[in-house]
Amino acid sequence: MKIGIIFGTRPEVIKVAPVYMKALEMGLEVRAIATAQHRQMMDMMLKVFNITPDYDMNIMTQNQSLNTVAAKVITYLDEYITKEKFDWIFVQGDTTTAMASAIAAFHRGAKVGHIEAGLRSGDLYDPFPEEMNRQVIDRVAELMFAPTEISAYNLESEGFSKERIKITGNTVVDALNFISEKFDLDKAREKVIDVRDYVLVTLHRRENWGTKMAAILEGIKRFSLEYNIPIVFPVHLNPKVREVVNPILKEYKNAILLEPVDYITFLSLLKGAKIVASDSGGVQEEAPSFSKYVVVCRNTTERPELIQSGFGTLAGTTAESVYKALVNGVSVNLTNLKNPFGDGNAAGKILNAII
Ligand code: UD1
Ligand code: UDP
C-alpha cells in the first residue's frame, strides 16, 4: 500500500506532519508531496518537523490566483500519481492545494483520504473558497477523517454512509503535543518578545481583506489602548494582508509586528498570551490546549465546538463587535473547560483506518 501525503500551506504542514511521521514509524510506504502554495511559510514548518518532501511542485507566485494554483497542482500531481501508482492520496483541510489534489487523485483512481473532513459554515461564500473546497473533497473522498462528533454529524446529514466517516480528533493536537514535549516554549518566547499578557493577533482570511480587516484592527487597537494591553501580531506574508495592517499598526507603539514565526515560536506566543483575536482555523483549535480564549474575527464559523466549549466567541467583523468581544473575553474563567478538538492520537487512528 503506497500513500502520498499532500501539503502546500503553513497549516497543512502542521496538520499532516503527525500523520507522515506516524506512517514512517509504522513502516508504511509513504511519500511527502509539497505543492509549495506557500513557499516560505511551508518551508518554515517543514524545518520544525524535519520533513524533506519527496516531490516539490514549487508553484507559488506573488498574488497568485485560485485557478492558477489549482491548475498547477492538478497537472503536477497527475504526473506523480501516474509514476508512483499511489493507492491513497491524503489531503488536509480546505485549501486549493487540498481540493485540486483530491480531484487529480479521483481522476486517476487513487483513493482520497480527507484529514479534517466535515467542517461546514453553511455559507458557500464564507469562508471563500474554503467552504466549496471542503464539500468537493468530501464528495470524492473514500474515507473522511472527521475531527469531532459535529463534523461527523455534518457528513452524515449530507448522506455519506457511516462506514466512510471516522472520528479521529484533529491532528493539530498531535502536532502541538509533539512540539510542547520537545521544546521549552517559555525560552522560545523570550527569544522574540519581552512582554507578557498581550493580545495575540493573526488575520489572513480572504473574505476579511480590505475594509473588514481594517475594522477588526481598529477594534483590537481600541481594546489595547483602553486596557493598556500590548498587541503581538506575526503578520501573514500575503501582500493583501500587509497593505491593511501596516497603516493601522506600524506606528502604534504598543504593537509588536513580527514576520511569520515558526511553529515552536507561535505556540510559545500562544502560551504567553492573555487573549487571542484571530480569523485562523488552526489557532482556534490550538488555543484550548493552552487555556486561551479566542475572539473569532469572522461572521461565520465551521468550528462551533470552540464556542460551545466556552473557549471563544464569534465576534463578527466590525470594530465595535471585536472590541466588545475582547472586553468580555478577558474576564472569562476557563478553568475546568474541556478541549473539544481531540486527544492527540488522531494520526494513529487515521492510519489504522486505512490499514
Ligand atoms: C491559503 C489558503 C487558506 C489558508 C491559508 C493559510 C486557499 C485558497 N487559501 O490562503 O485556506 O487558511 O493559506 O495561511 O488555499 N505568500 C508568500 N509566501 C508564503 C505564503 C504566501 O509570499 O510563504 C503570499 C504570496 O504573494 C501568495 C499570497 O501570499 O500569492 C497568497 O497565498 P495563497 O496561498 O494564495 O492564499 P492565502 O491567503 O495564504
Ligand atoms: N502559525 C505559525 N506561525 C505564525 C502564525 C501561525 O506557526 O506566525 C500556525 C498556527 O499555530 C496554526 C497555523 O499556523 O497552527 C494557522 O495557520 P493560518 O492561520 O495561516 O491558517 P488556517 O489555520 O486559518 O488555515
Side-chain angles (χ1 to χ4, degrees):
M1 183 172 65
K2 202 186 247 188
I3 311 163
I5 299 191
I6 317 284
F7 47 85
T9 64
R10 165 168 74 189
E12 287 169 275
V13 177
I14 293 166
K15 290 173 171 179
V16 303
V19 182
Y20 178 70
M21 293 188 298
K22 188 80 184 175
L24 290 179
E25 191 189 303
M26 291 166 79
L28 299 172
E29 198 173 357
V30 60
R31 302 278 182 273
I33 303 175
T35 68
Q37 177 178 337
H38 283 173
R39 182 73 269 174
Q40 297 86 352
M41 282 158 51
M42 183 195 79
D43 288 343
M44 198 177 219
M45 297 303 139
L46 287 175
K47 213 167 148 196
V48 168
F49 291 99
N50 203 14
I51 295 173
T52 309
D54 297 293
Y55 293 94
D56 190 335
M57 303 181 195
N58 193 25
I59 64 167
M60 194 194 86
T61 54
Q62 288 306 317
N63 279 315
Q64 60 205 359
S65 77
L66 299 173
N67 284 332
T68 315
V69 171
K72 288 181 190 169
V73 170
I74 291 179
T75 307
Y76 279 111
L77 191 57
D78 188 62
E79 196 185 295
Y80 307 160
I81 295 175
T82 311
K83 181 172 162 222
E84 293 269 4
K85 309 212 173 347
F86 290 112
D87 300 290
W88 283 92
I89 290 290
F90 277 8
V91 302
Q92 195 285 330
D94 50 25
T95 64
T96 301
T97 283
M99 183 273 292
S101 299
I103 288 176
F106 180 73
H107 283 161
R108 285 287 175 193
K111 286 184 263 211
V112 174
H114 187 195
I115 303 169
E116 199 181 82
L119 275 65
R120 298 288 187 269
S121 72
D123 179 344
L124 192 59
Y125 294 93
D126 193 335
F128 177 90
E130 289 83 358
E131 180 76 359
M132 177 278 288
N133 288 344
R134 296 167 183 151
Q135 295 185 31
V136 169
I137 298 167
D138 288 330
R139 196 50 61 194
V140 300
E142 177 79 13
L143 281 180
M144 288 160 266
F145 306 116
T148 65
E149 301 266 351
I150 292 177
S151 44
Y153 173 80
N154 290 340
L155 294 166
E156 282 172 36
S157 311
E158 289 176 16
F160 293 107
S161 77
K162 276 193 175 176
E163 289 69 48
R164 288 169 57 201
I165 306 164
K166 310 285 168 197
I167 301 178
T168 61
N170 199 304
T171 54
V172 81
V173 182
D174 304 30
L176 73 85
N177 285 349
F178 174 79
I179 298 293
S180 305
E181 282 159 21
K182 216 168 152 190
F183 298 94
D184 182 335
L185 296 184
D186 294 320
K187 267 202 189 130
R189 184 180 54 250
E190 283 157 15
K191 281 191 201 157
V192 285
I193 53 166
D194 58 4
V195 289
R196 287 293 294 265
D197 292 333
Y198 39 86
V199 49
L200 177 63
V201 179
T202 81
L203 292 169
H204 74 83
R205 298 235 79 88
R206 199 168 284 261
E207 60 281 359
N208 279 342
W209 291 351
T211 50
K212 279 187 191 156
M213 197 172 283
I216 293 166
L217 289 168
E218 293 297 352
I220 296 169
K221 192 173 171 182
R222 178 177 165 202
F223 170 74
S224 163
L225 276 165
E226 287 181 18
Y227 288 78
N228 192 25
I229 292 182
I231 294 171
V232 174
F233 186 175
V235 187
H236 197 285
L237 286 178
N238 194 333
K240 293 272 190 341
V241 173
R242 293 182 165 219
E243 73 192 28
V244 181
V245 173
N246 287 338
I248 298 173
L249 290 184
K250 201 145 196 178
E251 304 298 321
Y252 173 51
K253 65 174 182 352
N254 216 6
I256 301 172
L257 300 186
L258 302 170
E259 290 299 310
V261 293
D262 68 40
Y263 194 46
I264 305 156
T265 311
F266 189 81
L267 293 182
S268 81
L269 295 181
L270 194 51
K271 191 175 173 206
K274 191 172 188 67
I275 190 163
V276 182
S278 177
D279 63 9
S280 162
V283 174
Q284 291 179 59
E285 294 153 346
E286 290 158 348
S289 292
F290 293 92
S291 282
K292 302 298 169 183
Y293 189 85
V294 188
V295 167
V296 181
C297 304
R298 292 181 44 188
N299 292 315
T300 65
T301 184
E302 58 288 305
R303 292 171 172 85
E305 296 88 349
L306 181 90
I307 294 140
Q308 288 173 10
S309 64
F311 278 108
T313 187
L314 188 62
T317 53
T318 67
E320 182 73 12
S321 65
V322 169
Y323 165 78
K324 279 194 177 147
L326 282 164
V327 172
N328 293 333
V330 274
S331 52
V332 172
N333 182 356
L334 301 176
T335 40
N336 298 327
L337 300 185
K338 193 174 167 289
N339 186 342
F341 292 111
D343 60 5
N345 296 309
K349 290 178 194 162
I350 288 168
L351 291 166
N352 283 326
I354 67 160
I355 290 167

